[in-house]
Amino acid sequence: MAETLKLLKDGNKPSLLAAFVNAFLGIIKGAAFFFTGNVAMFAEMMHSFGDAANQFFVYVGSALSKKAPNEQFPGGYGRIVNLVCLFAVIIVAILSYETIKEGWHHFLHPSTESKGMLIALSVLFIGGVLEGTVLAKAAVEVLHEAGQEKAGLASIPKAFRFLNRAKPATKLVFMEDLVATGGNVLAFSAILIAHFTGWAQIEGLVSMIIGCMMFYVVGNVFLDNARGVIGETDQEMLNRIAHLVLDDPNIKDIVRLEVIKEGEFLHVELVAEANPELSLAYLDDVRDHLTEIILSQKGVTKVTILYDEDDGEMTWVHIGDRPPNLPQK
């Protein structure tokens, strides 16, 4: 129990914050839907509750993924965050379907008039502010994990450029709250349009749009984490490490280099060709030096280096142009 509590302290903080915020918003949106009968508010309620459950599971998964390797799982628990994210998107997918179904029903039969416009607008305004705040914090966390400086109000658009460098949990929170903030704006607009124009179908249409936005997050997150469960290569980091290894004059060639994403971490396996005339003691020092350099790279937590005899031919051809400098730890 003590170990679990210690791990939870190191869980992804943006996802925990987002879970609490969305749970609160789900409750007040549910109350607003009960008093107003507004279908756009129903869509937002489902969206908030789905995000809350999703992000809480992600927080727990990100914490458990930091559990130390043991005899049963020598590779560690890094990929558990990917498994949890896959489970979490199932919840969002179900709520997305219910949101679209309810929106379609209201679009076809818009006869039921909603009431309490000011209540609905007030709740959506509060939701927009809170979810926008969480989105901004998630954007700052994305930039931090990518080794970039935060940029104030420009942090959100800037975060898009570095989203692939963020941890799975942080990326999920950013995408979900981006959709949630947009959903609040759409629902707010739909209520105003329906009130002033009498076009009641707009609320059902917006509900379906919000549901489709939720499905987009489901698909994107599912594909990202499915690759993570299988063991995706970080190509950019692989190229950088290849350059660092070949910059060492004692390394003549690379036989095999793998940089595998293990949840939030990177594991490196290297088989390099070295001069056979070098002593084992000297090569051991070279291994220690390379291990230290590779471990200093962002996200790398495990390095395995093996040697092979130099065959006199250069076979490593997957380097390409030198990539831009990646952030250090």
Side-chain angles (χ1 to χ4, degrees):
M1 186 64 180
E3 180 186 7
T4 301
L5 291 175
K6 184 178 180 181
L7 288 171
L8 289 175
K9 291 180 180 179
D10 295 327
N12 186 272
K13 298 302 189 298
S15 60
L16 181 62
L17 173 63
F20 281 121
V21 169
N22 279 293
F24 169 73
L25 290 176
I27 292 171
I28 63 173
K29 288 175 182 178
F33 170 67
F34 178 78
F35 287 110
T36 67
N38 188 285
V39 71
M41 186 62 66
F42 172 82
E44 277 300 297
M45 175 193 71
M46 298 291 279
H47 193 175
S48 293
F49 278 135
D51 284 353
N54 204 350
Q55 290 155 351
F56 179 74
F57 281 125
V58 169
Y59 165 72
V60 174
S62 69
L64 296 180
S65 70
K66 295 177 174 62
K67 188 174 180 179
N70 52 36
E71 292 184 3
Q72 188 175 5
F73 298 100
Y77 293 78
R79 297 189 192 185
I80 196 171
V81 67
N82 299 117
L83 290 171
V84 169
C85 285
L86 287 176
F87 175 75
V89 297
I90 294 175
I91 298 174
V92 181
I94 294 171
L95 295 180
S96 302
Y97 167 75
E98 292 295 331
T99 300
I100 293 174
K101 185 176 73 171
E102 184 69 20
W104 177 247
H105 175 75
H106 187 81
F107 185 78
L108 294 178
H109 308 284
S111 56
T112 301
E113 295 185 1
S114 59
K115 52 188 177 181
M117 184 185 73
L118 291 180
I119 295 176
L121 292 179
S122 298
V123 170
L124 288 172
F125 178 78
I126 294 172
V129 171
L130 291 178
E131 286 171 335
T133 302
V134 174
L135 175 63
K137 289 184 178 295
V140 170
E141 189 68 17
V142 168
L143 296 177
H144 171 72
E145 292 173 2
Q148 303 295 318
E149 294 291 332
K150 60 182 180 180
L153 294 177
S155 293
I156 295 176
K158 184 178 179 181
F160 282 99
R161 293 162 47 198
F162 302 97
L163 202 54
N164 288 335
R165 303 302 311 173
K167 296 176 181 178
T170 305
K171 182 177 180 179
L172 176 61
V173 172
F174 179 85
M175 291 185 62
E176 286 192 335
D177 276 286
L178 178 67
V179 171
T181 304
N184 275 279
V185 174
L186 286 174
F188 193 96
S189 302
I191 291 173
L192 289 178
I193 292 172
H195 178 75
F196 289 108
T197 68
W199 184 28
Q201 289 95 333
I202 184 66
E203 294 179 1
L205 179 62
V206 164
S207 179
M208 289 188 288
I209 292 173
I210 292 172
C212 290
M213 290 166 64
M214 293 166 68
F215 264 124
Y216 171 77
V217 172
V218 167
N220 197 295
V221 172
F222 177 84
L223 291 176
D224 274 357
N225 287 279
R227 290 193 295 266
V229 169
I230 296 170
E232 183 183 15
T233 295
D234 189 319
Q235 191 64 46
E236 187 176 2
M237 183 63 80
L238 184 145
N239 288 343
R240 175 168 176 79
I241 290 175
H243 280 292
L244 293 173
V245 170
L246 291 175
D247 281 343
D248 191 307
N250 300 293
I251 302 300
K252 302 303 180 183
D253 195 7
I254 295 176
V255 178
R256 181 171 62 88
L257 175 60
E258 295 180 356
V259 182
I260 304 298
K261 293 181 180 179
E262 295 285 346
E264 299 178 354
F265 314 111
L266 297 174
H267 290 184
V268 178
E269 294 184 7
L270 168 68
V271 179
E273 291 184 357
N275 189 337
E277 297 179 359
L278 297 175
S279 68
L280 290 176
Y282 186 83
L283 287 175
D284 190 54
D285 290 339
V286 173
R287 178 190 285 115
D288 291 342
H289 175 66
L290 287 175
T291 299
E292 182 179 355
I293 291 175
I294 296 173
L295 283 173
S296 70
Q297 305 308 303
K298 182 76 173 181
V300 177
T301 59
K302 182 180 179 181
V303 179
T304 302
I305 299 177
L306 300 175
Y307 289 120
D308 198 2
E309 183 177 346
D310 181 23
D311 59 8
E313 296 182 4
M314 188 69 178
T315 59
W316 183 256
V317 293
H318 302 291
I319 300 174
D321 296 331
R322 182 179 292 273
N325 290 333
L326 294 179
Q328 306 293 311
K329 279 185 176 177

